[in-house]
Amino acid sequence: MLECDACAVRLGYDAHGKPFTVLPPIVPGNVLAVHDFRQVPLPGCTTRTKNWDDGDSMQGTDQGIVLTLLSGMRWFNQPFLRIRDTCLRASFDVYDTELRARVVARKQTLGDASLWYELAVTPHDQNYRLARLFTAPEQSDNTNLSGPSAHPAVLARGNNLLELRVQGPTLEAWINGAKVCAVHDAALGIGGVAIGVGTFSTSKRPQRTLLRWLEVREVAP
Amino acid sequence: MSAKQLSCENCGGPLSYGAPFCAYCRRPLHWGRHVAIERGEQFFFRDFSRDKLPGSSVAQMRQDGSLVPVEKENWERWGSFEPKLRDACIAVRGVALDANGDFGVYARMHAQGDAKAAYQLKIYPAFRSWRLRREAWVTKATHVSPLVDWEFSPLIGGVGTVNEVELRFSDSVFQVVLNGQNAATVVDASFGFGLLGWVCGSHPGPSQVLLQSAGAWRTR
């Protein structure tokens, strides 16, 4: 086995002598934290029901928390956990067509700017994307690592289970128990975990999702 | 753990500092001993009295290096070197010619679209102090998070003297080496890969910095 001189990923060679990256498997380990939104607020929040000044709202129900967005995006950051290697799983139902839900790992804040990895889906068109992102008040930008592309594992209706596994420079995206991609990206190494929900509707039509739970696990040997 | 870089003694696989097991062979790892990063084989060496300073069209090449004018106060000029790396030692040798000038190095500079992020290590010879921070910037703004803010070190020479600023990094372990001596070790896993670079800055007023050379080496 050889190793890339620059980024330290392991390399193998196929029968034609062409190199390929050898990514180690990421195995979910012990549970670090579980947020069951039937009982507890979203990460970083103190209540399950709230109305924001801009018209967005969330409502606690017996199945979880229904979040209604009119525009833009809402972040729910876990404030007590910066972690490098982890497996994040989030369960949610998207009710409307102009909504994107994401699980976020290694969210790093620098002043007013942030960088992170996210696994995002838009259920209505069954698209997913694994990406590295940057945002600041004056500009946002991104680097796609896999997708955006349609995948049958993303359910257009009903409950979707998103899982982002990160271990060293290896990232894996799992959707509803199916591994949709594995990539090597060494750019970001540690940071917080979060859920992000955003609407790309320009009409301010309410977009709703039911957030059921979020689970944070260690990685296992 | 192997002494060479951060690699597994069992399978040779790359390791994350502090990881409980090797991701490739799954063997348990035990940490605790000090990781000393040293220079290995050279990637490159540039003598700025002969070699063009990358990224700066305003630098004036002289017999003793390249003079970098930073015309505005609280401003920076910078440039980058290939290749992109995870682990390396990057050193810049230079002279702050006035009390406003500082200079140093970038490590692991990478892009998200037009935005860039990196580690920056600088010395400010007027105060014989150094700083290590994370930066993310776009055309109109820079956002920062200090790892070590301006801190005095007797290893740094004052204005008008030659100083060598070096950052050695292997996975999340960073060692600040000033004029050949280890000044500090910092562990931070925020950014893991990218370009190397140089930087010259100014403080309350414009400054001039003479950059003499830059070099990069493997870690061992």
Side-chain angles (χ1 to χ4, degrees):
Chain A
M1 285 283 196
L2 292 174
E3 198 172 293
C4 169
D5 232 14
C7 71
V9 70
R10 273 204 159 175
L11 299 173
Y13 290 90
D14 64 17
H16 306 288
K18 189 179 169 192
F20 61 89
T21 55
V22 180
L23 301 179
I26 307 177
V27 181
N30 295 327
V31 174
L32 265 177
V34 175
H35 301 260
D36 180 349
F37 302 131
R38 291 176 304 178
Q39 295 167 7
V40 300
L42 292 167
C45 297
T46 53
T47 60
R48 296 175 64 234
T49 297
K50 181 174 179 172
N51 295 307
W52 283 278
D53 292 343
D54 62 0
D56 294 352
S57 63
M58 61 182 171
Q59 180 72 45
T61 72
D62 57 1
Q63 292 186 300
I65 294 173
V66 175
L67 179 69
T68 304
L69 298 183
L70 297 185
S71 63
M73 188 171 166
R74 289 273 167 199
W75 281 104
F76 303 99
N77 300 301
Q78 166 50 262
F80 303 111
L81 184 63
R82 289 176 77 240
I83 189 166
R84 183 170 191 173
D85 300 335
T86 189
C87 301
L88 303 172
R89 292 200 301 164
S91 172
F92 62 90
D93 300 19
V94 168
Y95 295 141
D96 297 295
T97 57
E98 293 174 304
L99 203 106
R100 180 179 289 120
R102 61 200 88 195
V103 286
V104 169
R106 297 181 179 173
K107 188 165 189 281
Q108 180 73 51
T109 301
L110 291 89
D112 295 332
S114 295
L115 302 103
W116 68 93
Y117 290 117
E118 72 173 32
L119 170 60
V121 293
T122 47
H124 77 282
D125 60 3
Q126 295 183 280
N127 262 259
Y128 84 96
R129 179 180 76 159
L130 178 60
R132 172 161 38 92
L133 289 97
F134 166 88
T135 189
E138 58 284 338
Q139 188 175 335
S140 295
D141 224 322
N142 67 81
T143 299
N144 292 332
L145 303 173
S146 179
S149 54
H151 196 287
V154 184
L155 300 180
R157 289 186 181 79
N159 181 247
N160 275 291
L161 183 60
L162 283 191
E163 182 170 1
L164 177 56
R165 301 180 183 181
V166 290
Q167 178 180 268
T170 307
L171 293 87
E172 293 179 356
W174 295 68
I175 298 172
N176 295 316
K179 185 175 171 178
V180 296
C181 69
V183 301
H184 176 85
D185 186 85
L188 306 180
I190 198 169
V193 304
I195 298 174
V197 181
T199 171
F200 40 89
S201 167
T202 52
S203 62
K204 294 229 168 187
R205 202 166 47 218
Q207 301 291 310
R208 297 161 302 147
T209 183
L210 169 68
L211 297 163
R212 293 177 180 271
W213 49 265
L214 170 70
E215 179 192 79
V216 186
R217 285 178 181 263
E218 296 179 75
V219 294
Chain B
M1 187 190 69
S2 165
K4 188 181 178 186
Q5 288 198 1
L6 289 169
S7 54
C8 176
E9 272 180 350
N10 185 48
C11 73
L15 299 181
S16 298
Y17 179 71
F21 59 91
C22 170
Y24 285 92
C25 70
R26 320 307 272 195
R27 188 181 191 182
L29 300 169
H30 302 284
W31 302 87
R33 76 181 173 88
H34 179 66
V35 176
I37 306 171
E38 294 180 11
R39 287 183 186 179
E41 185 186 338
Q42 193 172 78
F43 284 116
F44 64 82
F45 182 81
R46 305 270 171 81
D47 175 346
F48 297 128
S49 66
R50 297 191 314 250
D51 303 322
K52 189 174 182 305
L53 187 65
S56 179
S57 56
V58 298
Q60 304 154 34
M61 195 180 290
R62 313 193 319 192
Q63 283 188 335
D64 52 354
S66 286
L67 187 67
V68 182
V70 185
E71 300 91 340
K72 287 197 275 186
E73 62 185 41
N74 298 314
W75 196 249
E76 284 181 344
R77 292 195 175 277
W78 62 275
S80 60
F81 305 103
E82 298 280 352
K84 291 181 182 175
L85 294 163
R86 172 192 190 237
D87 302 330
C89 307
I90 171 74
V92 166
R93 183 181 288 259
V95 183
L97 298 178
D98 51 60
N100 289 325
D102 66 16
F103 66 95
V105 297
Y106 276 117
R108 294 183 177 164
M109 187 190 300
H110 60 278
Q112 277 81 233
D114 292 333
K116 289 187 171 55
Y119 290 101
Q120 185 201 65
L121 168 66
K122 287 210 294 194
I123 61 163
Y124 190 1
F127 292 95
R128 299 176 67 198
S129 58
W130 63 277
R131 177 184 75 187
L132 178 63
R133 67 184 190 178
R134 297 181 291 243
E135 290 190 349
W137 69 94
V138 288
T139 310
K140 291 181 179 171
T142 299
H143 303 274
V144 302
S145 173
L147 294 170
V148 179
D149 215 346
W150 293 115
E151 184 171 305
F152 169 78
S153 171
L155 301 174
I156 302 170
V159 174
T161 62
V162 177
N163 280 294
E164 186 180 74
V165 188
E166 180 174 358
L167 188 61
R168 300 176 179 178
F169 47 98
S170 186
D171 190 61
S172 54
V173 182
F174 291 79
Q175 285 176 343
V176 177
V177 178
L178 303 171
N179 290 315
Q181 295 192 61
N182 197 355
T185 298
V186 175
V187 176
D188 184 80
S190 297
F191 306 144
F193 184 68
L195 294 165
L196 307 170
W198 62 269
V199 59
C200 294
S202 64
H203 287 272
S207 72
Q208 289 195 312
V209 177
L210 181 73
L211 286 187
Q212 296 184 320
S213 64
W217 295 262
R218 290 178 199 280
T219 57
R220 66 179 173 88

